[in-house]
Amino acid sequence: AQKVTQAQTEISVVEKEDVTLDCVYETRDTTYYLFWYKQPPSGELVFLIRRNSFDEQNEISGRYSWNFQKSTSSFNFTITASQVVDSAVYFCALKSSNTGKLIFGQGTTLQVKP
Amino acid sequence: ETGVTQTPRHLVMGMTNKKSLKCEQHLGHNAMYWYKQSAKKPLELMFVYNFKEQTENNSVPSRFSPECPNSSHLFLHLHTLQPEDSALYLCASSQDSTTSSGANVLTFGAGSRLTVL
């Protein structure tokens, strides 16, 4: 069974704080892909990153960084020096190479206060 | 501007109405998707079309009827809906949806917010 769990339903931080959004996944596939999407109040899901299961290198993009740990089946997302514009719902997702289906977690609502 | 456009952005309808949601993508993609986003729930995949053919129907009630006349357009026809169908309906597209396309990124529209009275 494929499953994505984002245990944090809501997080509230003050601007400039660092914040980590957790994502834990379950899959029996050896080849799979992990994604993070951001959903601002406007509604559309904005693609942030994709990792494949063979690439455990951590990635940094500006204030965003991702920590992929196959040993713990986790793909956590950290925002450094958060800003009010980071306020959104963030979704972690898993795509199996066998089914092609994209399975989403429940999402984490991040509120960054000025 | 997003490459996936959804109309209308907001829709209020009675349970006996018939309405349609429209999605158009300008990305040259061959796969299109409908997702349902309800409060406090993960996004639910409803339908998948690949090269205009429906490849996935995730046990969606027949009061939701999709239509994909070409690879750029996707409709969701609504008829005799229930109040629990109120949700944000998101359309997405990707290069294709075959099992070998795991790396394909889905591009989403802004959604149609549906309220059923």
Side-chain angles (χ1 to χ4, degrees):
Chain A
Q2 317 269 336
K3 188 178 179 182
V4 177
T5 301
Q6 294 179 254
Q8 303 149 308
T9 305
E10 293 181 15
I11 300 176
S12 181
V13 299
V14 177
E15 209 170 16
K16 298 185 182 176
E17 285 185 17
D18 299 347
V19 58
T20 296
L21 309 181
D22 298 333
C23 173
V24 175
Y25 62 92
E26 296 176 27
T27 181
R28 293 182 182 175
D29 295 335
T30 53
T31 303
Y32 52 90
Y33 299 84
L34 295 164
F35 301 78
W36 275 95
Y37 281 87
K38 173 183 180 181
Q39 186 179 37
S42 52
E44 79 279 14
L45 272 74
V46 178
F47 166 73
L48 296 178
I49 190 172
R50 173 192 61 212
R51 300 302 275 172
N52 73 54
S53 51
F54 298 108
D55 183 1
E56 284 194 73
Q57 260 193 331
N58 291 330
E59 183 156 337
I60 298 175
S61 176
R63 296 184 297 107
Y64 295 172
S65 62
W66 291 269
N67 183 358
F68 178 24
Q69 300 270 349
K70 280 182 81 168
S71 60
T72 55
S73 296
S74 65
F75 186 42
N76 296 338
F77 173 31
T78 297
I79 301 175
T80 303
S82 59
Q83 299 176 1
V84 173
V85 293
D86 295 327
S87 298
V89 183
Y90 290 87
F91 291 94
C92 180
L94 166 70
K95 196 171 190 185
S96 162
S97 61
N98 288 334
T99 66
K101 288 186 181 182
L102 188 63
I103 307 296
F104 285 87
Q106 299 94 319
T108 297
T109 300
L110 173 65
Q111 184 181 32
V112 181
K113 298 178 181 177
Chain B
E1 182 184 318
T2 178
V4 179
T5 304
Q6 289 187 242
T7 54
R9 292 295 311 277
H10 301 273
L11 177 63
V12 179
M13 60 186 289
M15 288 191 286
T16 57
N17 291 158
K18 287 184 182 181
K19 296 286 184 183
S20 296
L21 305 181
K22 179 183 176 183
C23 176
E24 183 175 0
Q25 57 97 358
H26 316 278
L27 301 167
H29 289 166
N30 297 303
M32 296 189 78
Y33 310 75
W34 279 117
Y35 280 85
K36 177 183 178 182
Q37 186 178 17
S38 305
K40 310 296 183 186
K41 285 187 175 182
L43 274 76
E44 302 170 56
L45 178 64
M46 300 175 71
F47 301 103
V48 181
Y49 279 81
N50 200 36
F51 292 92
K52 301 191 300 178
E53 298 297 320
Q54 186 180 119
T55 57
E56 183 88 25
N57 177 338
N58 203 21
S59 302
V60 180
S62 59
R63 58 186 183 269
F64 294 93
S65 174
E67 179 190 0
C68 188
N70 54 62
S71 291
S72 299
H73 293 85
L74 183 66
F75 295 89
L76 188 62
H77 303 301
L78 315 170
H79 177 47
T80 323
L81 295 192
Q82 305 298 312
E84 60 265 29
D85 296 323
S86 299
L88 181 67
Y89 289 85
L90 290 160
C91 175
S93 69
S94 68
Q95 192 59 46
D96 66 62
S97 68
T98 58
T99 55
S100 62
S101 64
N104 282 185
V105 174
L106 269 65
T107 301
F108 285 83
S112 293
R113 172 75 61 188
L114 173 66
T115 302
V116 182
L117 302 176

